[in-house]
């Protein structure tokens, strides 16, 4: 026994000290990853390049003169502006280049981080969770081969993106968009992407589930964004805790500092080392924590369809509610600084006059509500597509072979998704309102903001309703439901920066929500959206009651 | 037996998936109290038939009744009276096996706690482990325990023992025989022929979406060949010329051959005329029955492999 233990320990030490064996098969796996992602990677690269280069081109149209750019600088210099863009140091010389660094870089960094996290999780933990990694690892494939192959592809994709962005931006030949700056601009993306690929490399070691690993890593992406938003609107120190903040601290096109990018790369190196050590301490398919035994019996509540659905949705629901609460608290805590910015900016007063003489706090709050609603729409689509996931994974058939009707089964999931979506949104509104009320010493803000948040609920239901409709009629195309949150983000958030025409906003359900608390409350659109959501859901249920399970 | 007395009656059932005709006129009859074996290789249409019977798929044509009702329209009412075990059980990763058993059993309605605990014990299943930590065999046990503990009339089992070890398979067989003694009806899809031979009263064999054979094991045997090994005083050289005799081989003074049931009498008469010293005759095994229908597939596959 002890001899065997010693041998296995020695074997473990040998394999973890980076001998070539631990990497055996990496080359083959890299080709395999590229083969599986032959559509995904080009699609990501194309989307991110088009987004960036297109934004730069549209800036040139929107702000053709130095005066127009200076006016934009003044609006963007407000706390609301900096929270959704970047640090004020970019505003000193607001040319087309510094506008990119200020307004576009922060969001693009989130998207690049998203791409990198999903890519790493997909080729590591997701493979383990499905058991495919076991099959692969049983052949001549080393302990670290999966992880390293995924990271190499993620790094190469990020470097490719950097070159595409540099070429695309420099190729525009616009004033202020220099070649040197464009190279740095691309490099900031690659650095953020590589850092979050390494974050995912660690999170995939910790949990047994791909969803949990992506969830953890994406929470850190969100946290990085919130930290830089709070830092940029306030003292600035918090931004230095965020990889996205580091990317913006290059002051690309303004000062072109390269050294802040050493920070994300150093973090990536440290995280990679941690990931490799962690992966040698666990079994294939296992997480770091041993799973503990659970209940030997199911409670009566669990066997109720709604109880079962609630249990299955619990993690996602709590995760999103807490995330929205934290986000709301973060934005609420800077409200006092927002208010202090008020006086004496002509451009601002003009802008505010457009939305019916609302206060600067109200217009800031309206913008934050849009952000909260877009994030909640991600929850509602995830939750609304849960029945499809259950069907795909083969867990529905034995359930529907009991006395559980199809309608009850779907309805229980939808009830949790729809009520849960409202609660998640309310959590954001309350977190925002309560901290706002505290810092501004105005208790009325709590109800105002909570009400403003709830005004988005019918639009969220429409978003969820589209997912249900697809599930009922075109289950294979259910992922198309992601179009709505994506479009909601593009039209509602980027549209504000890029000044999209009004009809583009109206294509999104969120475009019909009154911009509370800045705008006047209007009940009619809310009733119409609720009715539309009900129709979509009823339509989806009808489709589902007619089709076979796992048949289409 | 009239149509209404049958627990499952299926006629001319057709189900297509795009260009693929998965069921091509299936006929199936299961009487109350019988254990009905449903045999066929992978892809023959067993699971598709069962999923139609459970109202999970809608048939394109034909007629299906389960427990006297329409499986699609009256799914919920019928499902109170039946329990289902799929061949590949997928559990919720974060629910324990015990919780999953109770969810299935309670959703079905009647549920015997004592029997559930007793079955967990018998199948050596730890109900406190999370779904994701179970092996395939243990996931299978979760579904089996949930189904057997339910107070239902009909068990629909789709390759229920796939992944179980031989010991567990025996325990499963015992449990099914007990259920049969209590008057439960079972539709058992399987390709473990020994299990079917041991448990089933009647058998239906499906091939390429059609039932090619149906009846009791005896009836099926009657339709097919008996294997005979004999030792005769004078060498049995001209057996091959007799009608209904197949593959005679002479070795060491023994002759071994297969003979069609209707020619058994004349063939034995011929052996008798040669002076029988010893005679062993055994009915066809289920495997032989099965292979008779799939023989051409097998020889095709073998010649394909050797090419």
């Amino acid at each position: 026994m002890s001899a065997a233990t010693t041998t296995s320990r020695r074997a473990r030490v040998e394999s973890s000290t980076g001998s070539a064996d631990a990497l055996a098969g990496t080359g083959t796996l890299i080709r395999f990853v590229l083969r599986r992602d032959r559509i995904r990677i080009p699609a990501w690269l194309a989307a991110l390049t088009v987004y960036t280069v297109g934004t730069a081109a549209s800036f040139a149209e929107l702000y053709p003169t130095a005066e127009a750019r200076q006016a934009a600088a003044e609006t963007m210099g407000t706390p609301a502006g900096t929270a959704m863009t970047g640090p004020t140091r970019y505003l000193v010389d607001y040319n087309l280049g510094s506008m990119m660094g200020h307004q576009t870089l922060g969001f693009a960094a989130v998207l690049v981080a998203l791409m990198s996290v999903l890519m790493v999780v997909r080729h590591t933990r997701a493979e383990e969770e499905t058991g495919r990694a076991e099959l692969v690892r049983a052949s001549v494939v080393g302990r670290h081969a999966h992880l390293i192959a995924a990271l190499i592809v993620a790094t190469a994709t990020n470097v490719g993106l950097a070159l595409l962005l540099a070429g695309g931006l420099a190729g525009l030949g616009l004033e202020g968009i220099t070649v040197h700056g464009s190279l740095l601009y691309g490099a900031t993306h690659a650095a953020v992407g590589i850092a979050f690929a390494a974050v995912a490399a660690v999170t995939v070691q910790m949990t047994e589930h791909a969803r949990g690993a992506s969830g953890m890593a994406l929470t850190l992406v969100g946290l990085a964004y919130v930290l830089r938003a709070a830092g940029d609107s306030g003292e600035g120190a918090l931004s230095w805790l965020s990889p996205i903040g580091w990317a913006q601290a290059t002051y690309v096109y303004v000062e072109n500092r390269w050294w802040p990018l050493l920070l994300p790369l150093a973090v990536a190196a440290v995280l990679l080392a941690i990931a490799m050590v962690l992966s040698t301490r666990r079994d294939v398919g296992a997480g770091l924590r041993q799973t503990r035994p659970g209940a030997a019996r199911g409670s009566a509540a669990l066997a109720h369809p709604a109880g079962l659905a609630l249990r299955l949705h619990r993690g996602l629901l709590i995760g999103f509610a807490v995330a929205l609460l934290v986000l709301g608290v973060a934005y609420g805590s800077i409200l006092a600084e927002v208010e202090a910015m008020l006086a004496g900016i002509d451009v601002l007063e003009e802008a505010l006059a457009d939305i019916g003489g609302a206060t600067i706090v109200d217009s800031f709050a309206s913008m934050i509500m849009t952000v909260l609603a877009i994030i909640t729409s991600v929850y509602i689509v995830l939750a609304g597509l849960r029945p499809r996931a259950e069907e795909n994974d083969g867990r529905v058939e034995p359930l529907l072979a009991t006395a559980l009707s199809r309608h009850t089964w779907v309805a229980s999931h939808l009830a949790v998704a729809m009520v849960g979506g409202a609660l998640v949104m309310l959590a954001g509104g309350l977190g925002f309102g309560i901290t706002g009320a505290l810092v501004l010493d105005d208790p009325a803000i709590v109800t105002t903001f909570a009400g403003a948040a709830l005004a988005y609920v019918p639009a969220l239901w429409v978003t969820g309703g589209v997912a249900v409709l697809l599930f009922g009629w075109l289950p294979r195309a259910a992922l198309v439901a992601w179009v709505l949150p994506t479009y909601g983000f593009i039209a509602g958030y980027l549209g504000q920066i890029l000044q999209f025409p009004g009809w583009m906003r109206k294509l999104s359900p969120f475009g019909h929500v009154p911009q509370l608390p800045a705008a006047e409350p209007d009940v009619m659109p809310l009733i119409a959206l609720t009715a539309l959501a009900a129709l979509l859901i009823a339509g989806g249920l009808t489709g589902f009651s007619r089709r076979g399970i796992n048949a289409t | 037996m009239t149509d209404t007395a049958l627990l499952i009656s299926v006629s001319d059932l057709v189900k297509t998936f795009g260009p693929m005709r998965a069921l091509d006129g299936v006929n199936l009859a299961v009487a109350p109290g019988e254990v009905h074996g449903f045999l066929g290789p992978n892809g023959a249409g067993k699971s598709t038939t069962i999923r139609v019977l459970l109202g999970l798929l809608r048939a394109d044509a034909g007629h299906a009744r389960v427990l006297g009702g329409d499986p699609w329209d009256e799914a919920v009412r019928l499902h109170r009276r039946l329990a289902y075990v799929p061949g590949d059980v997928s559990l919720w990763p974060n629910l324990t096996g015990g919780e999953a058993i109770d969810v299935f059993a309670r959703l079905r309605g009647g549920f015997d706690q004592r029997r559930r605990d007793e079955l967990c014990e018998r199948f050596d299943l730890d109900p406190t482990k999370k779904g994701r930590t179970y092996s395939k065999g243990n996931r299978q046990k979760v579904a089996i325990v949930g189904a057997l503990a339910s107070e239902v009339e009909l068990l629909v089992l789709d390759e229920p023992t796939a992944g179980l070890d031989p010991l567990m398979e025996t325990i499963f067989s015992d449990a099914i025989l007990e259920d049969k003694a209590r008057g439960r009806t079972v539709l058992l899809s399987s390709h473990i022929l020994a299990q079917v031979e041991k448990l089933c009263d009647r058998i239906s064999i499906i091939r390429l979406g059609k039932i090619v054979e149906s009846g009791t094991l005896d009836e099926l045997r009657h339709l097919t060949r008996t294997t005979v090994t004999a030792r005769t005083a004078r060498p049995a050289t001209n057996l091959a010329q007799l009608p209904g005799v197949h593959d005679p081989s002479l070795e060491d003074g023994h002759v071994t051959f297969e003979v069609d049931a209707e020619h058994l009498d004349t063939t034995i008469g011929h052996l008798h005329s040669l002076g029988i010293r010893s005679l062993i005759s055994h009915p066809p095994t289920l495997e032989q029955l099965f292979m008779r229908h799939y023989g051409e597939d097998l020889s095709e596959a073998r010649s394909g492999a050797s090419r």
Side-chain angles (χ1 to χ4, degrees):
Chain A
M1 177 64 210
S2 75
T5 318
T6 320
T7 326
S8 74
R9 189 171 299 148
R10 189 181 307 140
R12 181 184 295 179
V13 169
E14 275 165 15
S15 69
S16 63
T17 44
S19 70
D21 278 359
L23 292 175
T26 305
T28 313
L29 284 179
I30 289 174
R31 284 198 299 278
F32 179 56
V33 167
L34 289 173
R35 165 65 182 75
R36 285 186 66 202
D37 282 0
R38 69 193 189 289
I39 310 270
R40 267 165 212 255
I41 292 176
W44 270 109
L45 291 180
L48 289 169
T49 309
V50 167
Y51 164 60
T52 301
V53 177
T55 304
S58 79
F59 278 162
E61 269 179 43
L62 284 169
Y63 309 104
T65 62
E67 291 74 47
R69 291 196 288 273
Q70 197 45 46
E74 280 168 34
T75 356
M76 291 300 168
T78 64
T82 46
M84 74 190 254
T85 54
T88 48
R89 204 153 146 189
Y90 281 100
L91 301 174
V92 186
D93 173 17
Y94 215 44
N95 60 35
L96 295 176
S98 47
M99 286 181 102
M100 289 299 290
H102 185 236
Q103 297 192 22
T104 314
L105 179 55
F107 264 121
V110 170
L111 296 177
V112 174
L114 176 71
M115 170 186 80
S116 303
V117 166
L118 293 180
M119 193 181 273
V120 170
V121 173
R122 174 172 149 83
H123 293 290
T124 54
R125 179 53 73 176
E127 288 291 286
E128 281 188 57
E129 194 182 13
T130 54
R132 290 191 291 257
E134 201 164 290
L135 208 58
V136 174
R137 279 281 295 278
S139 63
V140 189
V141 166
R143 178 183 300 282
H144 296 307
H146 267 113
L147 182 63
I148 298 300
L151 286 174
I152 286 177
V153 174
T155 304
T157 306
N158 277 298
V159 171
L161 175 68
L163 295 174
L164 282 171
L165 292 181
L169 286 171
L172 287 175
L174 293 171
E175 181 203 344
I177 300 191
T178 58
V179 174
H180 179 195
S182 299
L183 279 171
L184 177 58
Y185 192 83
T188 59
H189 286 61
V192 171
I194 291 168
F196 280 104
V199 166
V202 173
T203 63
V204 296
Q205 311 302 330
M206 296 165 74
T207 159
E208 290 172 29
H209 302 289
R211 278 163 57 123
S214 328
M216 270 193 247
L218 294 180
T219 304
L220 290 174
V221 176
L223 187 67
Y225 192 82
V226 173
L227 280 173
R228 70 129 287 275
D232 292 349
S233 313
E235 301 292 308
L238 288 175
S239 303
W240 284 100
L241 295 175
S242 159
I244 302 174
W246 299 333
Q248 291 184 323
T250 55
Y251 300 118
V252 58
Y253 294 117
V254 182
E255 298 174 27
N256 284 336
R257 301 195 293 185
W258 284 80
W259 63 262
L261 296 187
L262 293 174
L263 289 166
L265 295 181
V267 163
V270 171
L271 289 174
L272 173 63
I274 293 175
M276 288 176 71
V277 170
L278 290 181
S279 80
T280 59
R281 297 205 175 156
R282 63 181 188 85
D283 299 328
V284 174
L288 280 181
R289 233 176 19 147
Q290 291 286 325
T291 43
R292 285 164 308 186
R297 283 173 198 288
S299 61
L302 184 64
H304 189 277
L308 179 62
L310 190 60
R311 173 75 178 271
L312 299 178
H313 284 256
R314 194 170 65 183
L316 191 70
L317 179 57
I318 293 175
F320 265 85
V322 169
L324 267 280
L325 188 70
V326 168
L327 199 61
V329 166
Y331 282 124
S333 62
I334 57 171
L335 270 186
E337 293 165 61
V338 171
E339 194 181 41
M341 290 291 299
L342 177 62
I345 306 174
D346 296 344
V347 187
L348 253 184
E349 278 167 9
E350 264 171 48
L352 293 178
D354 286 350
I355 34 179
T359 69
I360 190 166
V361 169
D362 284 349
S363 66
F364 178 78
S366 306
M367 191 272 290
I368 299 303
M369 288 302 166
T370 314
V371 177
L372 298 180
I374 288 164
I375 299 174
T376 308
S377 71
V378 172
Y379 165 78
I380 211 154
V381 172
L382 278 174
L385 290 179
R386 179 71 198 232
R388 177 60 185 161
E390 291 284 292
E391 183 185 1
N392 259 341
D393 294 347
R395 289 191 285 260
V396 179
E397 305 197 3
L399 266 187
L400 291 185
T402 68
L404 178 61
S405 78
R406 287 169 176 236
H407 271 132
T408 314
W409 174 69
V410 186
S412 61
H413 275 273
L414 294 184
V416 175
M418 299 300 163
V419 176
L423 289 176
V424 167
M425 188 65 205
L426 185 63
L430 280 177
F432 189 33
I434 290 171
T435 35
L438 288 174
V439 298
L440 294 179
D441 200 18
D442 179 2
I445 285 182
V446 178
T447 47
T448 317
F449 283 15
L454 288 176
Y456 276 93
V457 168
L460 289 166
W461 286 344
V462 169
T463 309
V466 170
V468 177
L469 188 72
L470 286 163
F471 168 70
W473 290 96
L474 292 168
R476 275 165 187 265
L479 291 180
V480 172
W482 284 107
V483 166
L484 255 70
T486 313
Y487 188 78
F489 167 72
I490 292 173
Y493 202 102
L494 296 182
Q496 291 187 15
I497 294 179
L498 300 178
Q499 303 187 3
F500 282 177
W503 62 266
M504 285 191 70
R505 255 179 65 75
K506 292 289 179 193
L507 282 182
S508 158
F510 301 102
H512 298 274
V513 177
Q515 301 275 298
L516 297 175
E520 287 296 308
D522 184 2
V523 184
M524 273 321 287
L526 301 186
I527 293 174
L529 285 169
T530 308
L532 178 61
L535 273 178
L536 289 167
I537 291 171
L541 289 176
T542 310
F544 181 61
S545 67
R546 284 156 181 260
R547 70 176 176 86
I549 304 292
N550 269 330
T552 37
Chain B
M1 188 168 289
T2 60
D3 200 48
T4 45
L6 292 172
L7 279 200
I8 295 176
S9 90
V10 169
S11 51
D12 305 320
L13 201 64
V14 174
K15 176 73 193 173
T16 55
F17 296 109
M20 217 266 286
R21 213 168 162 85
L23 300 184
D24 189 13
V26 167
N27 293 291
L28 187 66
V30 178
E34 77 176 9
V35 177
H36 194 103
F38 194 24
L39 286 178
N42 302 326
K46 298 191 300 285
S47 295
T48 306
T49 307
I50 286 177
R51 291 168 71 214
V52 170
L53 293 177
L54 292 171
L56 297 169
L57 293 180
R58 198 208 278 264
D60 296 322
H63 176 86
R65 307 288 285 176
V66 175
L67 296 161
D70 181 285
W72 180 272
D73 292 330
E74 299 169 71
V76 172
R77 193 175 65 76
L78 302 180
H79 292 174
R80 284 186 219 288
R81 298 163 58 196
L82 65 84
Y84 164 59
V85 177
D88 194 357
V89 179
S90 175
L91 296 175
W92 297 279
N94 51 353
L95 256 59
T96 64
E99 284 175 320
I101 291 174
D102 290 4
V103 165
F104 287 130
R106 282 177 200 264
L107 284 174
R108 223 168 261 134
F111 161 52
D112 184 344
Q113 279 282 357
R114 272 222 332 271
R115 179 141 166 84
R116 169 225 196 252
D117 294 345
E118 180 225 329
L119 285 164
C120 278
E121 191 104 337
R122 266 172 87 181
F123 280 98
D124 194 24
L125 177 73
D126 177 358
T128 65
K129 283 170 78 178
K130 292 276 166 71
R132 60 170 171 268
T133 63
Y134 282 121
S135 65
K136 168 153 176 49
N138 279 323
R139 291 203 305 271
Q140 231 31 66
K141 290 186 205 167
V142 167
I144 292 173
V145 170
L148 294 182
S150 302
E151 285 155 357
V152 292
E153 296 156 54
L154 173 65
L155 295 174
V156 179
L157 312 174
D158 189 0
E159 294 177 31
T161 57
L164 289 195
D165 62 50
L167 176 65
M168 288 304 151
E169 220 181 286
T170 311
I171 293 174
F172 169 80
S173 297
D174 294 348
I176 293 297
L177 288 175
E178 286 165 27
D179 274 13
K180 181 177 158 185
R182 289 184 209 170
R184 268 191 194 174
T185 309
V186 180
L187 177 65
L188 173 65
S189 142
S190 176
H191 39 221
I192 303 171
L193 302 175
Q195 185 182 66
V196 172
E197 211 159 8
K198 177 172 167 192
L199 297 178
C200 297
D201 307 303
R202 290 175 68 242
I203 292 162
S204 293
I205 299 181
I206 185 169
R207 174 170 192 249
L208 299 174
K210 274 198 181 93
I211 301 289
V212 288
E213 198 87 83
S214 191
T216 64
L217 198 52
D218 280 345
E219 282 165 3
L220 298 190
R221 278 174 176 154
H222 188 70
L223 291 174
T224 183
R225 299 163 190 170
T226 301
T227 308
V228 176
T229 304
R231 194 179 163 92
T232 47
R234 290 176 297 282
T237 44
N238 52 354
L239 278 177
Q241 280 124 50
L242 292 178
V245 172
H246 304 267
D247 311 325
S249 70
L250 203 58
E251 202 177 304
D252 253 359
H254 284 83
V255 66
T256 303
F257 59 91
E258 288 178 12
V259 57
D260 291 339
E262 67 265 35
H263 296 110
L264 185 62
D265 188 45
T266 50
T267 313
I268 299 298
H270 177 78
L271 286 180
H272 180 66
S273 69
L274 300 172
I276 297 174
R277 293 282 162 82
S278 76
L279 180 72
I280 305 164
S281 129
H282 55 85
T285 60
L286 188 55
E287 187 172 334
Q288 280 169 316
L289 282 176
F290 190 74
M291 286 306 169
R292 205 169 72 122
H293 291 287
Y294 290 96
E296 56 188 275
D297 297 359
L298 185 67
S299 54
E300 256 171 49
R302 279 183 175 158
S303 67
S306 64
R307 224 182 289 141

